[in-house]
C-alpha cells in the first residue's frame, strides 16, 4: 500500500510540471538565421528570428561569427559574439544588427542564438540549425608591379564590388614603404599615389617616383570610402636598382669636347670642344672657345658645381675630339682636329693643366705619332696610353703610344690588330688593364672589345687580347665610357641604323660579359662627356637631333644637361 502511494504522488507531480505553460515556452522555442545581406563595402546586415517564442520575453539572443567555419560549427569559445535583447512577446520575434569593418577578401560564417531562463523552471539556449556565409569582396586588389624605370615604379590595382553594391570610394591608389611589410597611408617613410574617387569596378595604375636607388620596397593598393580605409590583401615587393639623377647643368652647350676625372683632387675637368648651339664649329670659332671647367661633385648640395678655370693658352690650337687623361693631379690633353672651309685638319698639340697652380703648359707632341682626331686614352700604372683615331686622309689607326709623366717621354707600344683599326671608340680602365670598345671603321659601327695588358718594363710592349664584345646591333661610335668598382661602362653614341642612342652597358671582366643596365635618362645623344668620380658615373652635354617646324625638319642641337649615374650595389 505504501509503494502504490509513492507512485501516485510521482505521477501527480509530473502532470503538474508538463501542464505548466512557462515550462512549455522554455522547452519549445527555436531560432533561425535569415540570409545575410551586404550593407556597405565591408558591413553586413544580420537578421535572426525566434520561432514560437510564446510568452517568453526575457533573456537574450544574437549572433556568433568567425572567419573560420569550423569554429562556428563547433560553437567554440573563441568565436565572436554579438549579444542582443530578446525580442518582445507578441511581435514577430525578429532581431537584427550590422556586422561592421570586416576584412576584405575573406568569408564570414554566422550562426544565430537565443537563450532564456525562467526562475524556478530552468535555462535554455539554442542555436540556429543553419549557418550562413558571406564572402567579403576585396574592395581593392594589388594586381602587380608592372616595371621599375630608373627611380619610378609603375603599379597596377583593381577596384571590385562597387557597381554591385552601388557604392563608391573617395580615393584609391597605392602606398609603398622601404621598411613596413604592410605599408599604410601616413607612415613616416611611405609614399603614395592618389587616383581620386571612383564608383567603377576598374583596373587602375599608379606611378610613384623619386625613389631611392639600391632599395627594396613593399607595395599595397588602397581605397578610402568615408571613414573606412581598405588595403589589398596582397603585398608585393620590388627593388629600385641602378639609375640616373639629373644634376647641375654644364655652364653652356658643348659637343665633341673632352673630360677626365682626377682622383687626386676629387674633381673632374672638361672643355676643348664646340660650344655652338648647333654643334658645328669651324677652326676660327674654336680658337675663340678656350674655356675650361672644373667640376666639384660635392658643391651645391648634391647637384655638383662647374667652375671656370684658366683658359687654354693661345699657343694651343682650339679643336674638337681631343683626348685627355689625368696622372697625379695633372690634366693632359692631346690630339684632336678641326674643320675649316670643309677641309679637316688634325692637330698635333700636347699640353697639360695644373689645377693647383691654375696654369696651362704646352708640351712637345710625340714624334712619330701621326696627327689624328677621334683617338682614345686610358691610364694604367700611372702611365697613359693613347691610340687609334683618324687622320686627314681618313686613314684609321690601330697604333698605341705610352706616355710617362716622370720622364715626359712617349714610346710606341703594342698595336691593336690591323683589322681592329678604328676611331671615335670608347676606353676605360679596370683592374690595371685598359679596354677599348666600339668605334667606327669606314661607315660601320663596331661592337668588339679589346683588353690591353700594360708593359711590365721598358723592354715590354704590352699585349692586346680580344674579349667579349657587344652584340652587332649594339655597336656604336662617339660613345662615352667610364669605370666604377671593377666594372666598365659604355653609354650613348650613334648607330648607323638605330640613330642616337641612350642605352647603358656594363662589362664584367671576371665573367667576361656585358649586361644592359638602366638606360640614360636624358635624350639620346652622341659626342657627350663622360667620366666617373667617387663611385658614381657622370654623363652630359653632347648633341642630338631636334624637330623643327612641327617635325617637318630636323636639326643638330648641342645639349647642356648633366646626369649622375648611381650603380647597382649587390
Amino acid at each position: 500500500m505504501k509503494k502504490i502511494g509513492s507512485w501516485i504522488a510521482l505521477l501527480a507531480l509530473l502532470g503538474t510540471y508538463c501542464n505548466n505553460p512557462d515550462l512549455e515556452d522554455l522547452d519549445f522555442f527555436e531560432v533561425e538565421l535569415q540570409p545575410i545581406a551586404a550593407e556597405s563595402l565591408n558591413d553586413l546586415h544580420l537578421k535572426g528570428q525566434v520561432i514560437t517564442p510564446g510568452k517568453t520575453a526575457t533573456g537574450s539572443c544574437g549572433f556568433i561569427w568567425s572567419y573560420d567555419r569550423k569554429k562556428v560549427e563547433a560553437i567554440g569559445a573563441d568565436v565572436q559574439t554579438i549579444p542582443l535583447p530578446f525580442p518582445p512577446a507578441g511581435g514577430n520575434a525578429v532581431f537584427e544588427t550590422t556586422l561592421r569593418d570586416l576584412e576584405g577578401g575573406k568569408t564570414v560564417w554566422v550562426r544565430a542564438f537565443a537563450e532564456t531562463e525562467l526562475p524556478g523552471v530552468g535555462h535554455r539556449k539554442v542555436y540556429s540549425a543553419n549557418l550562413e556565409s558571406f564572402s567579403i569582396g576585396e574592395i581593392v586588389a594589388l594586381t602587380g608591379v608592372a616595371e621599375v624605370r630608373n627611380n619610378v615604379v609603375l603599379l597596377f590595382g583593381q577596384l571590385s564590388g562597387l557597381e554591385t553594391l552601388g557604392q563608391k570610394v573617395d580615393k584609391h591608389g597605392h602606398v609603398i614603404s622601404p621598411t613596413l611589410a604592410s605599408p599604410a597611408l601616413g607612415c613616416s617613410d611611405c609614399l603614395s599615389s592618389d587616383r581620386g574617387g571612383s564608383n567603377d569596378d576598374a583596373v587602375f595604375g599608379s606611378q610613384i617616383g623619386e625613389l631611392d636607388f639600391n632599395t627594396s620596397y613593399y607595395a599595397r593598393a588602397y581605397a578610402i570610402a568615408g571613414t573606412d580605409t581598405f588595403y589589398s590583401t596582397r603585398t608585393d615587393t620590388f627593388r629600385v636598382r641602378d639609375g640616373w639623377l639629373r644634376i647641375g647643368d654644364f655652364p653652356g652647350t658643348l659637343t665633341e669636347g673632352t673630360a677626365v676625372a682626377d682622383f687626386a683632387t676629387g674633381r673632374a675637368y672638361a672643355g676643348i670642344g664646340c660650344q655652338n648651339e648647333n654643334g658645328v664649329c669651324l677652326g676660327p670659332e674654336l680658337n675663340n672657345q678656350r674655356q675650361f671647367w672644373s667640376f666639384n661633385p660635392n658643391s651645391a648640395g648634391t647637384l655638383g658645381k662647374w667652375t671656370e678655370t684658366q683658359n687654354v693658352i693661345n699657343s694651343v690650337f682650339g679643336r674638337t675630339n681631343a683626348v685627355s687623361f689625368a696622372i697625379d693631379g695633372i690634366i693632359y690633353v692631346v690630339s684632336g682636329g678641326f674643320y675649316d672651309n670643309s677641309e679637316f685638319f688634325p692637330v698635333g698639340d700636347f699640353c697639360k693643366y695644373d689645377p693647383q697652380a691654375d696654369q696651362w703648359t704646352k708640351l712637345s707632341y710625340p714624334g712619330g705619332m701621326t696627327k689624328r682626331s677621334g683617338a682614345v686614352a686610358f691610364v694604367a700604372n700611372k702611365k697613359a696610353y693613347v691610340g687609334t683615331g683618324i687622320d686627314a686622309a681618313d686613314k684609321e689607326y690601330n697604333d698605341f703610344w705610352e706616355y710617362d709623366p716622370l720622364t715626359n717621354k712617349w714610346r710606341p707600344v703594342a698595336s691593336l690588330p690591323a683589322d681592329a683599326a678604328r676611331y671615335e671608340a670608347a676606353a676605360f680602365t679596370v683592374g690595371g688593364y685598359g679596354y677599348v670598345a666600339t668605334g667606327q671603321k669606314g661607315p660601320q659601327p663596331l661592337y668588339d672589345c679589346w683588353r690591353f695588358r700594360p708593359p711590365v718594363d721598358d723592354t715590354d710592349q704590352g699585349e692586346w687580347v680580344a674579349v667579349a664584345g657587344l652584340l652587332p646591333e649594339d655597336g656604336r661610335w662617339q660613345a662615352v665610357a667610364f669605370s666604377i668598382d671593377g666594372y666598365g661602362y659604355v653609354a650613348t653614341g650613334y648607330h648607323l641604323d638605330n640613330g642616337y642612342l641612350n642605352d647603358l652597358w656594363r662589362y664584367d671582366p671576371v665573367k667576361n660579359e656585358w649586361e644592359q643596365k638602366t638606360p640614360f635618362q636624358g635624350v639620346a645623344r652622341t659626342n657627350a662627356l663622360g667620366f666617373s668620380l667617387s663611385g658614381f658615373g657622370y654623363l652630359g652635354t653632347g648633341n642630338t637631333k631636334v624637330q623643327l617646324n612641327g617635325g617637318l625638319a630636323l636639326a643638330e642641337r648641342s645639349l647642356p644637361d648633366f646626369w649622375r649615374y648611381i650603380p647597382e650595389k649587390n
Side-chain angles (χ1 to χ4, degrees):
M1 185 71 178
K2 184 176 181 180
K3 184 177 291 187
I4 293 172
S6 297
W7 278 106
I8 292 173
L10 177 60
L11 289 172
L13 178 62
L14 289 173
T16 301
Y17 190 83
C18 290
N19 289 322
N20 186 325
D22 291 335
L23 181 62
E24 182 177 308
D25 290 342
L26 182 66
D27 284 342
F28 295 108
F29 76 86
E30 300 293 341
V31 64
E32 288 184 353
L33 175 64
Q34 305 298 319
I36 300 172
E39 193 169 282
S40 66
L41 294 176
N42 62 337
D43 299 337
L44 297 179
H45 187 75
L46 307 182
K47 180 185 289 188
Q49 185 174 17
V50 178
I51 307 301
T52 62
K55 300 176 183 179
T56 303
T58 60
S60 65
C61 57
F63 305 92
I64 61 173
W65 70 275
S66 174
Y67 295 117
D68 187 337
R69 176 175 182 165
K70 293 182 179 179
K71 291 181 179 180
V72 177
E73 286 178 336
I75 315 175
D78 53 352
V79 295
Q80 302 291 320
T81 301
I82 305 175
L84 299 170
F86 202 87
N92 59 9
V94 170
F95 55 96
E96 55 193 325
T97 189
T98 299
L99 186 55
R100 301 186 182 280
D101 300 328
L102 297 169
E103 296 181 38
K106 290 190 174 182
T107 299
V108 178
W109 296 89
V110 182
R111 240 177 149 171
F113 73 86
E115 62 179 331
T116 189
E117 183 173 355
L118 295 178
V121 177
H123 171 269
R124 177 176 173 79
K125 185 173 186 178
V126 295
Y127 289 89
S128 60
N130 63 315
L131 280 75
E132 293 287 336
S133 65
F134 195 98
S135 295
I136 305 298
E138 188 175 12
I139 304 306
V140 62
L142 176 68
T143 56
V145 178
E147 63 178 319
V148 177
R149 302 173 182 171
N150 199 50
N151 61 344
V152 177
V153 64
L154 181 60
L155 303 162
F156 282 103
Q158 182 166 14
L159 295 171
S160 301
L162 301 181
E163 296 175 0
T164 301
L165 299 173
Q167 301 289 324
K168 67 168 290 184
V169 295
D170 303 310
K171 291 183 179 180
H172 67 292
H174 294 86
V175 58
I176 65 173
S177 169
T179 59
L180 296 180
S182 297
L185 295 171
C187 74
S188 60
D189 63 357
C190 288
L191 297 172
S192 62
S193 64
D194 180 2
R195 299 305 311 275
S198 177
N199 55 7
D200 297 324
D201 295 345
V203 174
F204 62 92
S206 294
Q207 184 172 288
I208 303 177
E210 298 185 6
L211 307 181
D212 293 329
F213 295 104
N214 294 299
T215 302
S216 295
Y217 287 85
Y218 300 95
R220 286 203 294 180
Y222 79 89
I224 298 176
T227 59
D228 295 320
T229 301
F230 306 91
Y231 292 99
S232 60
T233 57
R234 171 186 171 186
T235 299
D236 213 339
T237 60
F238 64 90
R239 184 168 179 81
V240 181
R241 303 181 185 277
D242 63 320
W244 298 84
L245 287 176
R246 185 167 181 174
I247 58 174
D249 285 357
F250 194 72
T253 59
L254 184 69
T255 187
E256 296 183 326
T258 186
V260 63
D262 176 34
F263 302 112
T265 62
R267 303 285 191 272
Y269 298 86
I272 309 180
C274 178
Q275 299 173 30
N276 290 354
E277 289 187 3
N278 64 359
V280 178
C281 292
L282 299 179
E285 294 175 293
L286 292 171
N287 272 326
N288 293 325
Q289 298 177 2
R290 298 185 168 276
Q291 292 92 335
F292 204 68
W293 290 270
S294 167
F295 175 72
N296 182 349
N298 300 315
S299 290
T302 60
L303 297 180
K305 183 179 180 180
W306 291 94
T307 303
E308 190 170 350
T309 68
Q310 184 65 246
N311 285 355
V312 180
I313 53 179
N314 290 332
S315 59
V316 173
F317 277 102
R319 72 196 74 180
T320 60
N321 288 315
V323 293
S324 56
F325 53 88
I327 301 177
D328 291 337
I330 304 297
I331 311 303
Y332 299 85
V333 180
V334 65
S335 72
F338 63 90
Y339 279 90
D340 194 5
N341 295 324
S342 300
E343 187 177 357
F344 178 66
F345 295 91
V347 173
D349 271 349
F350 179 41
C351 57
K352 69 177 182 179
Y353 171 70
D354 183 345
Q356 297 299 319
D358 193 22
Q359 182 177 356
W360 286 90
T361 303
K362 187 172 183 177
L363 302 173
S364 298
Y365 189 78
M369 188 169 82
T370 305
K371 296 178 183 180
R372 66 192 68 192
S373 179
V376 295
F378 57 85
V379 173
N381 302 330
K382 293 192 174 183
K383 293 182 179 180
Y385 297 89
V386 176
T388 68
I390 190 169
D391 65 12
D394 290 338
K395 178 183 178 181
E396 296 135 354
Y397 284 85
N398 64 326
D399 60 335
F400 267 82
W401 293 72
E402 177 190 81
Y403 175 70
D404 186 346
L406 296 179
T407 62
N408 191 30
K409 291 183 178 180
W410 292 84
R411 72 172 181 122
V413 292
S415 299
L416 282 168
D419 59 356
R422 67 196 64 207
Y423 68 104
E424 294 183 332
F428 55 85
T429 303
V430 172
Y433 293 93
Y435 292 83
V436 173
T438 68
Q440 182 176 5
K441 187 174 184 181
Q444 298 302 317
L446 301 178
Y447 56 91
D448 57 345
C449 183
W450 295 81
R451 183 185 68 203
F452 179 69
R453 175 190 59 79
V456 296
D457 55 38
D458 291 343
T459 64
D460 185 19
Q461 299 292 302
E463 181 183 21
W464 288 97
V465 176
V467 296
L470 297 172
L471 295 174
E473 59 268 27
D474 296 314
R476 68 200 60 209
W477 62 75
Q478 297 172 345
V480 301
F482 49 81
S483 57
I484 306 173
D485 296 335
Y487 296 100
Y489 294 82
V490 171
T492 64
Y494 186 83
H495 187 281
L496 195 61
D497 297 324
N498 301 329
Y500 294 88
L501 305 174
N502 70 337
D503 54 348
L504 171 70
W505 293 85
R506 185 182 76 175
Y507 176 71
D508 184 337
V510 176
K511 297 180 179 179
N512 188 31
E513 65 183 23
W514 292 85
E515 178 185 2
Q516 190 167 13
K517 307 303 292 182
T518 299
F520 175 61
Q521 296 297 293
V523 299
R525 66 193 64 197
T526 186
N527 287 315
L529 300 178
F531 53 86
S532 59
L533 196 61
S534 303
F536 300 106
Y538 293 88
L539 194 159
T541 71
N543 60 285
T544 191
K545 289 278 190 183
V546 296
Q547 293 183 348
L548 301 177
N549 301 324
L552 297 177
L554 295 175
E556 288 279 348
R557 285 292 182 268
S558 293
L559 302 163
D561 57 325
F562 235 89
W563 298 71
R564 176 184 290 132
Y565 173 69
I566 296 89
E568 181 178 358
K569 302 294 184 182
N570 296 326

